[in-house]
Amino acid sequence: MKVYNSFTRKKEEFTPQEPGKVKMYVCGITAYDRCHIGHARSAVVFDAVVRYLRHKGYDVTFVRNFTDIDDKIINRAKEEGISCSALAEREIGHFYEDMDALGILRADYEPRATEHIPEIVELIQRLIQGGHAYQSGGDVYFAVRSLPSYGELSGRNLEELAVGARIAVDERKRDPLDFALWKAAKPGEPRWDSPWGEGRPGWHIECSAMSMKYLGETLDIHGGGLDLIFPHHENERAQSEAATGKPFVRYWLHNGFVTISNEKMSKSLGNFVTIKEILSRHHPEVLRLFLLSKHYRSPLDYSEEAIAEQKTALDRVYAAIANALEIASRPAKKQRPLNQEMENLLDEIERCDTGFNEAMDDDFNTAKALGVLFDGVRALNSLAAHQKQRPSALLAEPLRMAANRLRSLFNVLGLVRQEPQAYLHARKMEYLASIGMDEAEVDDAISRRAQARKERNWEEADRIREELEEKGIILMDGPEGTAWDVRL
């Protein structure tokens, strides 16, 4: 298994510190607003990583934090006339609504900054004692030049940073590159006691303190979006390694950006799309499939057309599995031997396990893994067609197992979590609603057609069928009556 390490800028063999165990930390949200599609991508990507590592047999301890105090939270709370804690609590609740809908597993630990002030203060004290931080008034700053390796994660040169960065002059700092570990309290802001006076933690220090509390001084995997590499992860790495003298992270993983119709997502451009907005129009698994349809390090462009493609693909998967399971459950008296084509199809589906694992072992390549699974879906449809045309008791159980095998592999990516028939029924109802019909009207049309056929009024029976087909409703006559489906 190989992963791309952002620190070394190459793929490396994945070897955790302790065999069979993985310590993993991913930066969570700053709880001041609804989550957008960029948050969704990071959450889905690292959820798939956790799921796959567990599928491989690793014992994963996963930590994802909440930043519940920071400038954005303070400013938004003032605008709304509520407390910072009330705002953070509300937005964390919204986060769970969105993530639960997307099938994101809860982390083993979900620490909040305000609940870890003692750990943060202790870490800052260690940095001061080690000569890596200093007090200035009621503030405490990390001395960037005290760590020679500063800039190695982001590939930045200290001198270039000092010259090129537009950093406001701050007389409290010894060096304009130094960053705040502790901020002295300002009037009206939340505050906590510390050896340097009342104040609150800086953004970067919280992740170091909380990750080390739950995972130890060296993590196996640290994840987040590309935008976090600098300054957040660079600063996180610097303060952690300065405090412990040990490597902070073995493998840094970063997911790519999301654009909206090929433009950078931005509130100022009016193309800022929240998860709530998307889920009001689309099934959560459609969004999840879309977010996994490209390699996690690649840029991903969101558009309604792209989402529509994934909706069609997801429908196809559910329909194939539901169809195969239904056909496999039909009684088959004859024991016709399996021909070579059937054997080949069964082998192809069985090989999906290997192909899926190979793709995911190559830096969690979900795009390639999904390609393997969709090939398996095509094979499953062909196999189901054989069983439908020439039923054999010898194929029923292999067909059922093949359908469940594919479903279990989709499950590893957090997909096809619903019962297939329930999903398809919901999609049918959704379609009927979109054309202004309901199930009772379809049943009534089928009853009227059945009566017309009974009266041998073929012209009326055909008229009813054609009228339904024009609306995308397909009738299927069988020994047990007439069933219907929709053209999704």
Side-chain angles (χ1 to χ4, degrees):
M1 182 175 174
K2 292 190 174 183
V3 300
Y4 182 87
N5 188 346
S6 299
F7 185 77
T8 60
R9 296 164 185 76
K10 64 182 180 181
K11 286 184 186 177
E12 298 176 356
E13 193 75 29
F14 180 68
T15 310
Q17 302 166 81
E18 191 176 343
K21 295 188 176 183
V22 176
K23 299 175 180 181
M24 179 170 167
Y25 184 91
V26 173
C27 288
I29 63 163
T30 298
Y32 79 103
D33 206 350
R34 292 296 303 222
C35 292
H36 54 67
I37 191 171
H39 295 122
R41 187 179 198 192
S42 182
V44 167
V45 160
F46 291 108
D47 183 68
V49 169
V50 170
R51 287 172 180 269
Y52 182 67
L53 289 171
R54 289 174 176 161
H55 170 71
K56 290 274 286 185
Y58 286 105
D59 177 9
V60 181
T61 303
F62 177 40
V63 181
R64 179 178 53 228
N65 75 303
F66 289 108
T67 296
D68 61 345
I69 185 64
D70 127 304
D71 290 342
K72 291 177 181 177
I73 294 171
I74 292 169
N75 293 335
R76 179 62 58 85
K78 284 180 182 176
E79 288 173 14
E80 296 192 21
I82 60 176
S83 68
C84 291
S85 59
L87 174 65
E89 198 64 41
R90 185 187 75 195
E91 295 310 326
I92 289 171
H94 288 157
F95 170 87
Y96 282 130
E97 285 176 24
D98 293 338
M99 298 305 150
D100 289 350
L102 286 171
I104 305 298
L105 299 171
R106 297 289 173 100
D108 298 295
Y109 299 98
E110 298 185 327
R112 304 185 186 192
T114 60
E115 295 172 353
H116 292 77
I117 300 299
E119 290 85 357
I120 291 169
V121 168
E122 182 185 354
L123 182 55
I124 294 172
Q125 287 178 311
R126 288 173 69 182
L127 289 167
I128 292 173
Q129 290 163 7
H132 294 285
Y134 57 92
Q135 183 179 354
S136 179
D139 299 324
V140 180
Y141 294 95
F142 182 83
V144 164
R145 294 182 190 274
S146 72
L147 191 76
S149 67
Y150 187 87
E152 287 184 2
L153 173 60
S154 57
R156 297 177 186 232
N157 177 280
L158 275 180
E159 300 312 316
E160 290 174 357
L161 278 173
V163 173
R166 289 183 293 176
I167 302 172
V169 175
D170 189 336
E171 293 179 356
R172 292 168 297 178
K173 294 183 182 182
R174 295 176 184 169
D175 187 303
L177 293 177
D178 295 347
F179 58 88
L181 301 173
W182 187 263
K183 298 182 178 183
K186 295 177 183 176
E189 289 187 356
R191 61 192 64 202
W192 290 265
D193 288 330
S194 82
W196 320 286
E198 290 186 330
R200 59 185 173 89
W203 176 32
H204 314 298
I205 194 67
E206 65 175 90
C207 285
S208 292
M210 292 189 288
S211 64
M212 289 197 284
K213 175 175 180 176
Y214 297 101
L215 299 173
E217 294 180 341
T218 300
L219 322 180
D220 290 307
I221 294 175
H222 193 318
L226 271 177
D227 56 320
L228 295 179
I229 292 179
F230 187 85
H232 186 51
H233 288 171
E234 189 69 76
N235 291 352
E236 212 184 317
R237 184 187 75 87
Q239 65 203 10
S240 301
E241 296 188 2
T244 68
K246 301 175 184 177
F248 176 47
V249 173
R250 293 168 63 82
Y251 304 94
W252 288 93
L253 274 60
H254 293 94
N255 63 274
F257 293 119
V258 178
T259 55
I260 308 287
S261 300
N262 293 309
E263 282 189 313
K264 183 181 178 182
M265 185 170 60
S266 165
K267 286 184 178 179
S268 61
L269 292 173
N271 63 354
F272 189 85
V273 186
T274 66
I275 298 171
K276 181 183 179 182
E277 288 176 70
I278 298 170
L279 296 188
S280 70
R281 301 190 297 271
H282 303 290
H283 190 281
E285 284 191 25
V286 172
L287 177 56
R288 189 176 179 106
L289 179 58
F290 166 72
L291 293 169
L292 295 172
S293 65
K294 288 280 182 73
H295 190 281
Y296 77 91
R297 287 189 287 112
S298 301
L300 181 64
D301 188 59
Y302 174 88
S303 67
E304 283 297 308
E305 293 76 17
I307 288 287
E309 287 178 13
Q310 299 307 324
K311 180 181 286 188
T312 300
L314 187 66
D315 287 345
R316 192 164 66 244
V317 173
Y318 268 110
I321 293 172
N323 182 55
L325 291 173
E326 191 277 322
I327 290 173
S329 69
R330 296 176 187 174
K333 296 178 182 178
K334 295 186 178 181
Q335 296 197 3
R336 296 186 177 94
L338 276 59
N339 61 32
Q340 190 59 52
E341 185 180 356
M342 295 177 196
E343 295 280 8
N344 291 343
L345 290 168
L346 284 169
D347 287 344
E348 185 177 343
I349 295 169
E350 191 169 336
R351 286 196 300 272
C352 284
D353 275 293
T354 302
F356 177 85
N357 288 334
E358 286 177 351
M360 291 297 287
D361 281 347
D362 183 13
D363 192 29
F364 306 108
N365 193 336
T366 55
K368 189 174 180 181
L370 285 168
V372 170
L373 297 187
F374 280 113
D375 285 344
V377 166
R378 283 188 283 274
L380 184 67
N381 277 330
S382 297
L383 202 60
H386 279 288
Q387 179 70 348
K388 185 176 182 179
Q389 292 159 11
R390 290 173 59 80
S392 170
L394 298 178
L395 184 56
E397 183 60 13
L399 178 60
R400 184 190 67 79
M401 290 178 66
N404 285 328
R405 178 189 296 272
L406 281 174
R407 186 182 179 194
S408 70
L409 290 173
F410 276 106
N411 283 172
V412 175
L413 297 179
L415 296 165
V416 196
R417 301 191 311 274
Q418 280 188 261
E419 283 301 316
Q421 289 293 358
Y423 171 89
L424 293 172
H425 179 73
R427 288 286 286 121
K428 285 165 71 172
M429 297 304 103
E430 181 186 317
Y431 179 82
L432 289 183
S434 73
I435 61 171
M437 290 185 71
D438 59 31
E439 197 170 7
E441 291 176 90
V442 178
D443 290 340
D444 177 64
I446 290 173
S447 296
R448 287 189 284 106
R449 177 173 174 268
Q451 184 61 34
R453 294 179 75 191
K454 185 177 180 181
E455 295 169 357
R456 306 182 74 80
N457 186 350
W458 308 120
E459 185 177 342
E460 175 64 6
D462 287 345
R463 187 194 67 77
I464 293 172
R465 174 192 281 275
E466 288 167 6
E467 185 179 82
L468 290 174
E469 283 185 353
E470 285 175 8
K471 295 178 178 179
I473 300 167
I474 313 301
L475 302 186
M476 297 161 288
D477 297 318
E480 298 179 2
T482 301
W484 64 276
D485 204 345
V486 299
R487 194 181 291 119
L488 293 173

